[in-house]
Amino acid sequence: MTFTLLRAPVGAGKTRAIIDRINAVYDAQPLARVWVVLPTARQTYALRQRLIDEGTAGRAPLFNLELFNFYALYERILLAAKTPTYTVRGMARPLLLRHVAGRVLANQPDGLFAPIAGTLGFAQLVGSLIDELKAARVEPHQFEAVAQTPKDRELAAVYTAYQTLLRQGAFASVGRDDGTPLVDAEGEGWLALDVLTGTPGAVPKLGLLAVDGFDQLTTVQADLIHALAARADETVVTLSQMPERVGQRVAQAERLLLHGGEVMVQDLPARPFASPALGHVVAQAFREQPDHVPLDSDAVVFIEAADPAAESREVMRQVKRCLVGDNACAPEDIMVAVRDWPTYSTSLAAAAREFGVPLAAHHGQPLTGHPFGAFIDGLLRLADDDFPLRDVVDVLYSPYVALPEDNPLSPALIEQIGLRGEVLGGESAWLAAIEAAAQVKYDDMGVEQPRLIASDEVEPLQTALSALFHALTLPERA
């Protein structure tokens, strides 16, 4: 059994080295079991595609090759060990934490977090803290032991109660405990690690364990790698070499790996970039005080625009030139990276459609980028914004709204009533405007303005609008 840590700068061929090791293992043992751990779906897809490309170039098909991120790896280990779990996922976790925090902190009315203990925002923040503690293998009793301030003691109490609830099992509260553990995503890592250290034979023997593409590792992840390495003929982990300050998390990952057992460290030589200017950007981008050199190459082009929409159009114009020029490249050879995806996603998608550029978004488009998604978002915001005139009218005019024939809420009528009553928002202002619409009004020039509705129409209209507003007002607690 060998454990190799490959260190190299960006672009030095770490993934190429992993592919070579995979091919070497399959050349020697065509049915060997190979597990590869990667951080993102994009990197998983890229590695799979490179292996497929090599297969179509003449290599034999690869069997027993599995690709994971760490969370999928936890599930795979527990599945191999026949250890079923109920995993708390999605919104179930913050709702569970909100319940726990509200119950624990309700006994501390003078506590720091008592006023916000029942909110989802607090539950999500506590969840992030618990994830960080679990990733470092900090048990609740350990956190309680070092809690110094009232704030820390309250958080420790919530962590302890939450973990106690998980350990009671999925159905303990209803008297149907079947012994199946209830875990969250990070806790699944704890359980997988317990399986590996307690019953290592439960996991199949591996010909190769490869971990590629990470720039940081948690304590649980590093311990899991070492535990799996004991079941693998060969283990290879890659880490990028980065500038000192930015590279602190890489150095921490390296310390965790080296501390866990005997590891052979191998440094790959840096590869020169096709463009020295591009190589300089990659080398200096993350430095706190980068070295500046004159730009004497067209490999790096700076684009300045007034807003994200104009910037996105110029980027897509450049991409289009790359696709149709004399030295045209394939669309999959072009990547557009942005710092803030929500800010640029809609603009990039619109610019791509305008220039006829195929765009595969890694994160997908936000739901609010779709007309129906934007409508639902606006609908749910009406009550929070106190039913402003224009937003209420927009909802009634929306093609996604079909009112019953006997409903008196005519969009045009409601718009006229709101404008005449100078409604800014608020249910009471709307009801007052409806009542005033049944009365004669005179403008600033003394000209009579006719009634918009009859007196007997006031109450049905007020009732219908109030019913709509109440239906769109979400309860304070689910």
Side-chain angles (χ1 to χ4, degrees), residues 43 178 200 214 241 354 390 395 398 409 432:
Q43 285 165 292
D178 60 356
F214 290 87
Q241 293 173 327
E354 178 182 353
R390 180 47 52 196
V395 165
S398 171
L409 295 178

Side-chain angles (χ1 to χ4, degrees), residues 83 97 126 137 162 201 227 268 381 419 446:
T83 304
L97 272 168
V126 172
R137 297 193 72 180
Y162 168 71
L268 297 180
R381 291 177 185 274
L419 290 173

Side-chain angles (χ1 to χ4, degrees), residues 167-458:
R167 285 171 173 162
Q168 287 174 348
F171 300 108
S173 61
V174 294
R176 293 199 301 112
D177 186 10
D178 60 356
T180 301
L182 184 64
V183 297
D184 52 25
E186 297 296 338
E188 219 169 18
W190 284 13
L191 197 57
L193 192 54
D194 289 344
V195 166
L196 287 173
T197 54
T199 54
V203 176
K205 186 76 172 175
L206 303 179
L208 173 67
L209 170 66
V211 182
D212 182 43
F214 290 87
D215 59 9
Q216 60 183 335
L217 293 170
T218 68
T219 302
V220 171
Q221 291 167 350
D223 290 346
L224 192 81
I225 291 171
H226 276 285
L228 272 177
R231 297 285 301 157
D233 294 332
E234 180 180 1
T235 300
V236 181
V237 180
T238 69
L239 286 177
S240 294
Q241 293 173 327
M242 305 183 74
E244 292 75 18
R245 287 181 60 83
V246 178
Q248 288 179 1
R249 60 188 184 186
V250 180
Q252 172 66 12
E254 184 175 331
R255 284 192 293 270
L256 289 172
L257 291 172
L258 295 178
H259 177 73
E262 185 176 347
V263 179
M264 179 177 65
V265 179
Q266 179 181 346
D267 292 326
L268 297 180
R271 292 182 179 178
F273 283 81
S275 165
L278 189 57
H280 177 81
V281 170
V282 171
Q284 302 293 324
F286 296 104
R287 292 188 180 276
E288 188 175 5
Q289 295 180 331
D291 297 331
H292 297 277
V293 297
L295 180 62
D296 57 357
S297 169
D298 58 1
V300 179
V301 177
F302 291 95
I303 296 174
E304 185 176 359
D307 52 42
E311 189 178 352
S312 297
R313 292 185 77 253
E314 186 57 36
V315 167
M316 286 303 161
R317 183 178 287 110
Q318 296 283 349
V319 170
K320 186 74 170 185
R321 288 171 182 162
C322 293
L323 293 174
V324 300
D326 294 335
N327 298 316
C329 56
E332 58 267 24
D333 292 335
I334 301 175
M335 182 178 72
V336 179
V338 297
R339 180 181 180 87
D340 182 12
W341 176 246
T343 299
Y344 283 88
S345 59
T346 302
S347 298
L348 283 173
R353 287 193 298 270
E354 178 182 353
F355 287 95
V357 173
L359 185 66
H362 177 62
H363 292 288
Q365 296 297 319
L367 289 176
T368 52
H370 187 279
F372 182 68
F375 166 73
I376 293 296
D377 182 61
L379 198 64
L380 296 176
R381 291 177 185 274
L382 275 180
D384 289 340
D385 296 339
D386 204 16
F387 304 103
L389 168 63
R390 180 47 52 196
D391 292 350
V392 170
V393 172
D394 286 346
V395 165
L396 295 176
Y397 272 116
S398 171
Y400 298 111
V401 173
L403 296 173
E405 292 184 2
D406 58 347
N407 191 297
L409 295 178
S410 163
L413 177 60
I414 293 299
E415 183 175 21
Q416 285 182 299
I417 290 174
L419 290 173
R420 177 179 286 193
E422 299 179 351
V423 175
L424 297 178
E427 182 178 355
S428 59
W430 274 105
L431 298 182
I434 291 174
E435 187 170 349
Q439 302 171 5
V440 175
K441 184 179 180 180
Y442 296 89
D443 63 16
D444 295 339
M445 302 298 294
V447 178
E448 179 181 332
Q449 293 182 328
R451 297 179 178 87
L452 294 177
I453 55 175
S455 299
D456 58 353
E457 295 178 291
V458 171

